[in-house]
């Protein structure tokens, strides 16, 4: 919209000069004087003239002050006003607003800004009646107001706020568009108000409080409530997930409202916070959100929303707003309140309680914001121009109908009751509706005390039964229906639609530092558990464990997000500084749920294993990687509109897997894996045990690029690697238990090699080349970050060997290495599930016992990392069969028939990697090597050991077999 204007502004320095700028401005003044009336003939001339004047003024602000002197001397702003007051059309008005916006946006010197703001011409433009039905005019106008609000500070505020006439056009005209249909206009209005609230000018803030705060906040709260009701209707009518777009927009709007309210509260202006808190509590949060938590008679005329929407929105409130007087009062009602605060009062009780019942109801303001502002403005003028004998006819009646906001007698009375809730208002005799102008806000006039009493919900309706129920250790009683609803919802775990919202609400309240910790202690849901405390909420813990148990059932309807949130809350309840205070009976129940998850996963493991499917291992590692990299973020969860709809089991909706039910056998397997991971991790934390078996692939234990390895007496195959881009390099191929590596000789030490590439065998694909029997196409994919993302190839190249024999050997070694890596990991999963391990003797280098943690595959790499400059570290990664089974070692026939149950022992640090005599250790006897299986000497029937070369002999053999 403003692209064209920015271009000429950016070039103003080039097109203007100190010599001619003043002359040009004088010429522009002459044009304006000759064209005071806008016609079709001079419309374009006037637009260009205004743009040129703006360009010259921006240049003069930076270079020549005489330009502004001439502008003020001739009072050229009057010409702008004169053009606006004529019916000059949208084109001229739009261009004028656009150029003025650019002018104020680019003015940097305060003196120049003061010149432009003097004589009240800017305020005249602000109050001009533009045609706001034109979207372009509306956009230019609101941008102009936003630019002016940015320039607002303690020095410039006097140009906009007139203390003598009680007029603040910039603010009052902007807030009239708070409910504009266009989202960007509403956002601009919020920015304008926030810029104004941040200015520390007490007379201006008093004016906002006394004349505008009540009508603005009451209309704003009503506007938010209407959006909430519309959101609820969208949820109720969208069981088929067809209106996700509309629902997403409504949820985003509610979050925008909350963030705007929070921005006002964190400015910490006491005047505004008191008024806003009162309206939010008594006109929106309590009568619409909290009241809707419990089932009510449908015949009542009170507006209501569904309980799930209420829980969802309340969770957003506690996650977004941390202003103590607001959230503490709201939490107090949820935890200790009853329905008496919403009951109707007899009309004769107007003096004491009718005002409360009127305020604590979601009702539409009697007057629009624009009308209320006009009434307050006129009343302020009459107060200043008050003369005894010159009242107009009907003025006395109007004053009776709209009394002034400030009443000294009421002010003194409210000052004596400073501990009560603010925002007490007068009501009419019928007590049916509340007149906005009658709301008494003079309590903010009280002097700021060192310790301001915290805002609480009205205590007149608190009964003795409620106080008793609020005592520590008391169970939820019927006198606390809102808290009772929360706990009763957790009892039903067959369907977690409401359960997820309740858990989110408890989580949000427990993480909100604005709530008084004593209130949370009453239900034993502390913000931070007290050290040396041995008590916790048994009822809540039992119901959380019940959710976990239900999630581990084969037909459980508990979503993964619900389960993870239950685990988070359980840890928060029973873990204090790393110490677990859970009782044995509850720990036993939880361990029972964990055992159920193990049994559930065993079923899918056996099905996949005996069907010969390799997908289980990939799913197992992908789910663990996804769970660790993307833990549940409750704030983001509460931004997702999809959880407001009934849980669905189809992925066609696009809902994230953790937020819906599984669909099909594959997703049920994924869900069982994730449940197992969550409960296993929680079990280890509760028992204070470290995780030693997961993940199956640890990055820190793998060979990496540029690692320097001792490759003496190792099986290496020389090859030429041709990348996808056509680059050719000479490398040696080495096959490890989990990885294949491409190395080149180290120039510093004989027999050592530098790793140039290392990839997991389990993610490798090997295919032959039709036209060349010496070549292989090898592709290795990087593990996907999510189960649905496409794997990314980290190696995609053609390997060319010296002859077809070496090509066949390399292909067999890589293929069997892949089988070995996957089978070993599957057996580690068997150990995790307490299943019997059945090792295979056909796979090279396969460890035949995984019952002890010392035989985990990662110990093969112990102390074999990159050696750096430490020459003393001479341990070889390929130095023993216990580390890498990929080099030649003596093979004994009777050793192949050794018992699978025997356990290998770690090799001694001084064992020789080149030993070719009879096998002397159990480890050697239990390990078969790829060399013995795949070498031509074995294929030809020769027995015993075969000849092995090292890197030191590479030159003498042409580098073909090293």
């Amino acid at each position: 919209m403003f692209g064209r204007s920015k271009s000429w502004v950016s070039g103003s320095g080039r097109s203007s000069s100190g010599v001619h700028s003043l002359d040009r401005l004088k010429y522009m003044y002459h044009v304006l004087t000759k064209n005071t009336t806008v016609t079709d003939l001079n419309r374009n001339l006037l637009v260009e003239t205004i743009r040129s004047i703006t360009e010259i003024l921006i240049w003069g602000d930076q270079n020549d002050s005489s330009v502004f002197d001439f502008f003020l001397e001739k009072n050229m702003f009057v010409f702008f006003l004169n053009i606006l007051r004529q019916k000059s059309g949208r084109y001229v008005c739009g261009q004028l607003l656009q150029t003025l916006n650019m002018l104020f946006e680019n003015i940097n010197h305060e003196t120049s800004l003061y010149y432009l703001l003097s004589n009240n011409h800017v305020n005249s433009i602000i109050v001009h009646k533009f045609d706001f039905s034109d979207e372009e005019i509306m956009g230019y106008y609101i941008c102009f107001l936003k630019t002016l609000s940015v320039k607002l500070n303690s020095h410039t505020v006097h140009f906009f706020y007139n203390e003598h006439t009680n007029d603040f056009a910039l603010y009052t005209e902007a807030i009239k568009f708070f409910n504009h249909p266009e989202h960007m206009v509403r956002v601009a209005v919020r920015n304008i108000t926030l810029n104004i609230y941040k200015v520390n000018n007490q007379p201006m803030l008093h004016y906002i409080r006394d004349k505008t705060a009540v009508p603005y906040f009451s209309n704003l709260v009503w506007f938010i409530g209407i959006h909430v009701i519309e959101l609820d209707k969208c949820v109720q009518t969208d069981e088929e997930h067809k209106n996700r777009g509309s629902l997403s927009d409504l949820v985003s709007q509610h979050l925008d409202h909350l963030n705007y309210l929070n921005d006002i509260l964190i400015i910490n202006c006491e005047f505004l916070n008191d008024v806003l808190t009162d309206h939010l509590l008594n006109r929106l949060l309590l009568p619409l959100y909290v009241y809707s938590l419990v089932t009510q008679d449908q015949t009542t005329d009170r507006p209501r929303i569904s309980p799930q929407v209420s829980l969802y929105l309340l969770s957003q409130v506690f996650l977004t707003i941390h202003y103590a007087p607001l959230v503490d009062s709201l939490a107090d009602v949820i935890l200790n309140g009853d329905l008496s605060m919403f009951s109707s009062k007899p009309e004769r009780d107007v003096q004491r309680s009718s005002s409360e019942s009127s305020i604590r109801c979601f009702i539409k303001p009697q007057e629009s914001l624009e009308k209320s502002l006009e009434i307050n403005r006129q009343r302020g003028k009459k107060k200043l121009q008050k003369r005894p004998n010159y009242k107009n006819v009907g003025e006395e009646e109007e004053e009776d109908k709209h009394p002034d906001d400030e009443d000294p007698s009421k002010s003194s009375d409210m000052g004596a009751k400073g501990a009560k809730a603010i925002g007490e208002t007068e009501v009419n005799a019928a007590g049916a509706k509340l007149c906005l102008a009658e709301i008494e806000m003079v309590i903010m006039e009280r002097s700021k005390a060192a310790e301001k009493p915290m805002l609480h919900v009205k205590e007149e309706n608190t009964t003795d039964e409620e106080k008793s129920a609020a005592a520590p250790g008391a169970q939820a009683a019927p006198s606390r229906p809102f808290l009772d609803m929360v706990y009763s919802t957790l009892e039903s775990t067959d369907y977690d639609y409401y359960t997820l919202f309740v858990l989110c609400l408890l989580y949000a309240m427990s993480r909100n530092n604005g709530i008084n910790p004593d209130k949370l202690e009453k239900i034993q849901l502390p913000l931070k558990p007290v050290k040396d405390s041995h008590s916790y909420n048994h009822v809540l813990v039992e119901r959380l464990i019940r959710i976990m148990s239900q999630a581990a059932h084969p037909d459980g309807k508990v979503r993964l997000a619900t389960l993870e949130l239950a685990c988070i809350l359980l840890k928060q309840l029973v873990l204090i500084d790393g110490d677990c205070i859970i009782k044995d009976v509850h720990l036993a129940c939880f361990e029972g749920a964990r055992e159920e998850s193990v049994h559930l996963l065993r079923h899918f493991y056996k099905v996949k294993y005996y069907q010969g499917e390799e997908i289980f291992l990939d799913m197992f590692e992908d789910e663990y990687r996804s769970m660790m990299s993307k833990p549940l973020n409750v704030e983001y969860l509460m931004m997702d509109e999809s959880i407001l709809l009934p849980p669905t089991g189809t992925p066609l909706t696009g809902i994230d897997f953790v937020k819906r039910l599984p669909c099909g056998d594959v997703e049920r397997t994924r869900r069982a894996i994730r449940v197992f991971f969550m409960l296993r991790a929680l079990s280890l934390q509760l028992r204070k045990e470290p995780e030693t078996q997961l993940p199956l692939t640890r990055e820190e234990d793998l060979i990496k690029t540029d690692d320097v390895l001792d490759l003496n007496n190792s099986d290496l195959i020389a090859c030429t690697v041709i990348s996808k881009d056509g680059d050719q390099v000479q490398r040696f191929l080495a096959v490890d238990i989990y990885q294949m590596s491409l190395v080149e000789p180290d120039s510093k030490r004989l027999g050592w090699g530098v790793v140039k590439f290392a990839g997991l065998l389990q993610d490798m694909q090997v295919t032959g080349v039709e036209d060349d029997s010496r070549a292989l196409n090898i592709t290795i994919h990087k593990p996907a970050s999510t189960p649905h993302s496409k794997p990314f190839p980290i190696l995609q190249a053609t390997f060319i060997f010296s002859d077809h024999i070496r090509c066949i050997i390399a292909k067999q070694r890589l293929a069997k290495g892949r089988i070995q890596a996957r089978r070993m990991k599957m057996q580690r999963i068997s150990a995790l599930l307490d299943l019997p391990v059945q090792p295979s003797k056909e796979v090279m280098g396969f460890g035949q016992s995984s019952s002890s943690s010392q035989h985990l595959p990662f110990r093969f790499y112990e102390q074999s990392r990159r050696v750096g400059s430490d020459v003393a570290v001479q341990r070889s990664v390929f130095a023993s069969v216990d580390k890498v089974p990929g080099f030649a070692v003596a093979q004994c026939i009777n050793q192949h028939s050794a018992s699978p149950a025997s356990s290998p022992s770690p090799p001694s640090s001084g064992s020789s990697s080149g030993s070719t005599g009879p096998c002397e250790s159990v480890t050697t006897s239990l390990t078969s090597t790829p060399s013995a299986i795949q070498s031509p000497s074995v294929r030809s029937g020769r027995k015993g050991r075969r000849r092995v070369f090292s890197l030191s002999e590479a030159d003498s053999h042409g580098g073909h077999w090293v």
Side-chain angles (χ1 to χ4, degrees):
M1 181 184 297
F2 299 103
R4 184 173 60 178
S5 62
K6 287 184 178 180
S7 63
W8 61 258
V9 170
S10 61
S12 61
R14 295 189 299 268
S15 60
S16 301
S17 62
V19 178
H20 300 292
S21 293
L22 187 57
D23 293 336
R24 289 181 59 200
L25 186 60
K26 292 179 180 179
Y27 173 75
M28 298 303 167
Y29 171 72
H30 177 73
V31 172
L32 290 178
T33 55
K34 296 296 183 180
N35 296 271
T36 56
T37 303
V38 182
T39 64
D40 293 337
L41 297 177
N42 65 1
R43 180 177 288 108
N44 292 331
L45 175 63
L46 288 174
V47 168
E48 292 302 323
T49 301
I50 295 172
R51 291 178 57 189
S52 298
I53 292 175
T54 303
E55 178 184 355
I56 296 171
L57 290 178
I58 293 174
W59 181 90
D61 173 63
Q62 303 172 359
N63 300 277
D64 189 359
S65 60
S66 62
V67 171
F68 268 93
D69 294 337
F70 181 82
F71 183 83
L72 293 176
E73 178 185 351
K74 300 301 182 179
N75 201 11
M76 296 178 66
F77 230 124
V78 175
F79 292 96
F80 295 173
L81 292 176
N82 182 46
I83 294 174
L84 280 178
R85 287 167 181 157
Q86 302 178 48
K87 294 182 179 180
S88 53
R90 58 184 298 272
Y91 175 67
V92 176
C93 289
Q95 290 297 321
L96 181 59
L97 286 173
Q98 183 182 12
T99 53
L100 285 176
N101 179 64
M102 296 305 299
L103 173 62
F104 282 96
E105 188 175 3
N106 289 276
I107 290 296
N108 296 322
H109 289 80
E110 289 189 356
T111 305
S112 301
L113 183 62
Y114 295 161
Y115 287 164
L116 292 175
L117 295 177
S118 60
N119 296 327
N120 207 38
H121 294 321
V122 173
N123 286 323
S124 299
I125 297 176
I126 292 175
V127 299
H128 180 75
K129 300 299 181 182
F130 292 95
D131 181 14
F132 295 122
S133 61
D134 190 320
E135 295 182 0
E136 188 174 0
I137 296 295
M138 181 74 249
Y140 289 144
Y141 178 77
I142 204 67
C143 285
F144 177 56
L145 298 188
K146 183 180 177 181
T147 301
L148 292 177
S149 69
V150 173
K151 301 294 182 178
L152 200 64
N153 54 47
S154 57
H155 302 291
T156 60
V157 67
H158 303 290
F159 293 105
F160 298 97
Y161 168 61
N162 192 328
E163 186 175 353
H164 301 288
T165 60
N166 266 343
D167 190 19
F168 194 6
L170 176 61
Y171 178 71
T172 56
E173 294 300 319
I175 62 176
K176 292 177 182 179
F177 301 100
F178 79 100
N179 59 351
H180 194 274
E182 180 61 39
H183 174 70
M184 296 307 297
V185 175
R186 298 198 302 269
V187 171
V189 170
R190 293 168 185 172
N191 289 332
I192 292 170
T193 56
L194 291 174
N195 291 335
I196 292 173
Y197 296 155
K198 292 176 183 178
V199 178
N200 186 19
N201 183 272
Q202 293 302 314
M204 180 201 69
L205 294 176
H206 277 273
Y207 166 80
I208 293 176
R209 179 204 66 189
D210 298 334
K211 303 298 182 183
T212 67
V214 171
Y216 175 52
F217 289 142
S218 60
N219 280 273
L220 177 63
V221 164
W222 172 257
F223 179 69
I224 297 174
I226 293 300
H227 272 89
V228 169
I229 294 176
E230 185 179 354
L231 187 152
D232 180 66
K233 290 180 180 178
C234 188
V235 172
Q236 298 298 323
T237 58
D238 192 25
E239 295 182 359
E240 299 296 329
H241 296 71
K242 294 181 179 180
N243 297 326
R244 286 273 303 280
S246 300
L247 183 58
S248 176
D249 292 340
L250 292 171
V251 170
S252 299
Q253 289 180 22
H254 185 262
L255 286 171
D256 289 342
H257 294 319
L258 292 181
N259 284 297
Y260 172 56
L261 297 173
N262 185 61
D263 289 339
I264 296 176
L265 293 171
I266 62 179
I267 293 176
N268 202 25
C269 177
E270 182 183 3
F271 300 146
L272 298 177
N273 287 4
D274 289 343
V275 184
L276 180 57
T277 301
D278 175 64
H279 280 79
L280 280 176
L281 280 176
N282 296 318
R283 286 185 170 264
L284 180 67
L285 299 180
L286 295 181
L288 187 60
Y289 291 22
V290 178
Y291 180 77
S292 300
L293 288 177
V294 295
T295 303
Q296 293 292 310
D297 185 4
Q298 297 298 329
T299 59
T300 180
D301 58 349
R302 284 180 176 270
R304 295 181 69 252
I305 56 178
S306 55
Q308 67 270 25
V309 174
S310 176
L311 290 168
Y312 178 84
L313 299 181
L314 284 172
S315 300
Q316 288 186 340
V317 171
F318 284 112
L319 288 172
T320 306
I321 300 177
H322 293 258
Y323 182 62
L326 174 62
V327 295
D328 187 71
S329 299
L330 182 60
D332 184 65
V333 174
I334 296 175
L335 301 178
N336 303 308
D338 63 3
L339 295 175
S340 63
M341 65 181 62
F342 302 105
S343 60
S344 300
K345 303 295 181 182
E347 293 185 6
R348 61 178 178 273
D349 294 336
V350 171
Q351 295 287 335
R352 188 176 66 90
S353 59
S354 179
S355 62
E356 180 181 339
S357 64
S358 300
I359 296 176
R360 194 160 292 150
C361 183
F362 179 67
I363 57 175
K364 183 178 180 179
Q366 286 185 333
E367 299 166 343
S368 65
L369 175 60
E370 189 170 357
K371 184 177 180 180
S372 298
L373 294 175
E374 182 63 23
I375 292 174
N376 287 335
R377 189 176 69 87
Q378 295 297 334
R379 187 166 62 244
K381 286 184 177 181
K382 282 180 290 190
K383 179 181 178 181
L384 293 174
Q385 299 173 1
K386 186 176 180 181
R387 293 193 176 99
N389 299 320
Y390 294 94
K391 281 192 175 184
N392 295 327
V393 177
E395 182 177 337
E396 184 174 357
E397 290 79 1
E398 186 176 357
E399 283 187 334
D400 293 337
K401 184 177 180 181
H402 302 286
D404 193 74
D405 287 340
E406 299 185 3
D407 189 337
S409 62
K410 292 182 181 179
S411 177
S412 60
D413 180 66
M414 294 299 286
K417 299 179 180 180
K420 292 186 178 181
I422 61 165
E424 291 289 344
T425 64
E426 295 182 2
V427 294
N428 51 27
K433 294 184 178 179
L434 177 68
C435 180
L436 298 177
E438 294 177 354
I439 298 179
E440 179 62 54
M441 300 309 302
V442 294
I443 189 170
M444 276 72 69
E445 294 287 355
R446 65 180 184 270
S447 59
K448 295 183 179 180
E451 293 183 359
K452 178 185 174 182
M454 184 172 294
L455 176 67
H456 293 286
V457 179
K458 309 280 185 181
E459 297 183 353
E460 289 84 354
N461 295 325
T462 305
T463 62
D464 295 337
E465 290 79 4
E466 292 178 46
K467 295 177 180 178
S468 176
Q475 299 296 326
S479 60
R480 295 194 290 181
F482 309 117
L483 184 61
D484 185 61
M485 180 267 181
V486 170
Y487 279 98
S488 62
T489 303
L490 295 178
E491 289 182 356
S492 176
T493 57
D494 296 336
Y495 190 59
D496 73 336
Y497 185 30
Y498 295 93
T499 303
L500 177 60
F501 299 125
V502 170
L503 294 178
C504 289
L505 178 61
L506 293 176
Y507 174 89
M509 293 176 64
S510 65
R511 298 301 179 95
N512 194 306
N513 53 20
I515 300 178
N516 188 347
D518 295 337
K519 289 184 173 62
L520 296 177
E521 286 288 349
K522 292 180 181 179
I523 62 169
Q524 293 182 319
L525 187 69
L527 195 65
K528 290 184 179 179
V530 182
K531 194 174 183 180
D532 300 330
S533 174
H534 298 284
S535 62
Y536 54 86
N537 192 326
H538 292 183
V539 176
L540 183 56
V541 166
E542 291 170 2
R543 294 179 183 179
L544 292 175
I545 295 176
R546 193 178 305 167
I547 294 172
M548 301 172 190
S549 178
Q550 184 66 26
H553 288 174
D555 56 347
K557 301 296 183 181
V558 177
R559 289 167 288 178
L560 293 176
T562 305
L563 175 62
E564 189 168 356
L565 193 51
C567 294
I568 294 174
L569 287 175
L570 182 62
K571 287 189 291 186
Q572 183 175 325
L573 287 170
V574 300
L575 289 179
I576 303 177
D577 295 333
D579 296 330
C580 182
I581 62 173
I582 191 171
K583 296 184 180 300
D584 292 340
V585 61
H586 292 151
L587 181 60
C589 293
F590 168 75
E591 289 296 329
R594 186 189 63 81
E595 286 295 330
E596 290 177 358
S597 70
V598 174
H599 288 294
L600 178 63
L601 188 55
R602 282 178 187 172
H603 167 73
F604 293 102
Y605 174 84
K606 291 177 180 178
V607 170
K608 300 295 181 184
Y609 186 82
Y610 289 116
Q611 288 180 353
E613 297 184 26
E614 294 186 348
I615 193 175
F616 185 87
L617 175 61
D618 296 326
M619 285 193 296
F620 192 88
E621 292 196 302
D622 287 343
E623 290 301 318
Y624 186 85
R625 190 182 305 111
S626 177
M627 186 185 72
M628 300 303 295
S629 62
K630 295 174 60 178
L632 181 67
N633 188 312
V634 182
E635 287 79 6
Y636 289 158
L637 180 66
M638 287 291 99
M639 296 178 185
D640 192 347
E641 76 287 347
S642 63
I643 64 174
L644 275 171
L645 303 175
T648 179
T650 172
L652 298 178
T653 57
I655 300 175
D656 190 17
F657 177 63
V658 300
K659 303 170 188 175
R660 60 174 173 84
L661 301 174
C663 175
D665 186 60
V666 172
E667 288 196 345
R668 281 192 286 270
T669 304
R670 289 179 55 200
R671 180 184 180 277
I673 294 172
R674 189 71 72 94
V675 171
F676 168 76
F677 285 148
M678 291 183 192
L679 298 186
R680 171 182 169 83
L682 181 57
S683 175
L684 292 175
Q685 286 184 289
L686 296 181
R687 292 185 282 115
K688 299 177 64 175
E689 296 180 5
E691 176 61 82
T692 58
Q693 295 176 277
L694 291 175
L696 299 179
T697 302
R698 290 195 298 249
E699 292 294 332
E700 63 271 15
D701 293 327
L702 295 177
I703 295 176
K704 298 179 178 61
T705 303
D706 296 329
D707 280 356
V708 180
L709 307 176
D710 185 358
L711 302 175
N712 284 295
N713 298 322
S714 300
D715 282 338
L716 304 174
I717 304 177
C719 61
T720 300
V721 181
I722 303 177
S723 65
K724 192 176 181 180
D725 300 332
D727 299 334
Q728 297 186 15
V729 290
Q730 298 292 328
R731 294 288 183 262
F732 291 95
L733 175 65
V735 180
D736 190 16
I737 283 189
Y738 286 141
Q739 294 173 279
M740 61 84 69
S741 304
L742 295 176
V743 299
E744 66 177 10
D746 188 4
S747 59
K748 298 180 180 178
R749 281 171 292 185
L750 193 63
W752 289 68
V754 181
V755 178
K756 294 302 179 181
F757 174 82
L760 293 175
L761 289 170
Q762 70 181 64
D763 300 322
M764 180 184 59
Q765 296 177 355
V766 182
T767 58
V769 179
E770 294 182 1
D771 300 335
D772 191 351
S773 61
R774 302 176 305 147
L776 295 175
N777 289 327
I778 299 179
T779 302
I780 299 180
H781 292 92
K782 180 181 180 181
S785 57
T786 62
H788 300 289
S789 60
K790 186 177 180 180
F792 177 77
I794 57 176
L795 175 66
Q796 196 170 7
T798 300
F799 286 56
I800 300 178
F801 301 91
S802 300
D803 52 48
H804 72 283
I805 298 297
R806 289 172 176 79
C807 180
I808 294 174
I809 294 174
K811 184 176 181 179
Q812 290 179 347
R813 184 170 299 175
L814 292 172
K816 290 203 172 185
R818 183 179 184 276
I819 297 174
Q820 172 202 13
R822 299 185 74 87
R823 286 190 180 179
M824 290 189 69
K825 286 191 175 182
M826 287 295 289
Q827 290 201 353
R828 294 183 62 194
I829 297 175
S830 298
L832 284 171
L833 301 179
D834 298 327
L835 290 173
V837 179
Q838 298 178 356
S840 172
K841 295 180 291 183
E842 298 178 357
V843 182
M844 58 180 182
F846 188 73
Q848 300 193 9
S849 176
S850 50
S851 59
S852 175
S853 62
Q854 69 173 349
H855 303 302
L856 295 178
F858 290 121
R859 72 188 184 87
F860 293 129
Y861 298 115
E862 248 178 71
Q863 300 180 355
S864 64
R865 295 267 54 84
R866 181 175 176 85
V867 295
S869 59
D870 189 1
V871 185
V873 181
Q874 297 292 330
R875 296 191 57 83
S876 170
V877 71
F878 294 100
S880 70
V881 294
D882 186 52
K883 294 198 171 198
V884 174
F887 71 95
V889 66
Q891 300 294 325
C892 300
I893 298 178
N894 59 347
Q895 293 169 349
H896 287 289
S897 60
S899 172
S902 59
S903 301
S905 58
S908 61
S909 59
S911 61
S912 174
S913 62
S915 175
T916 59
C919 297
E920 300 176 353
S921 66
V922 180
T923 304
T924 306
S925 68
L926 291 178
T927 309
S928 59
T929 68
S931 302
I933 295 175
Q934 303 169 2
S935 65
S937 62
V938 176
R939 293 172 55 212
S940 62
R942 291 190 302 172
K943 298 182 180 179
R945 63 181 185 177
R946 63 179 174 82
R947 173 65 170 154
V948 177
F949 296 98
S950 65
L951 279 177
S952 61
E953 300 173 287
D955 296 334
S956 62
H957 293 82
H960 296 300
W961 181 255
V962 180

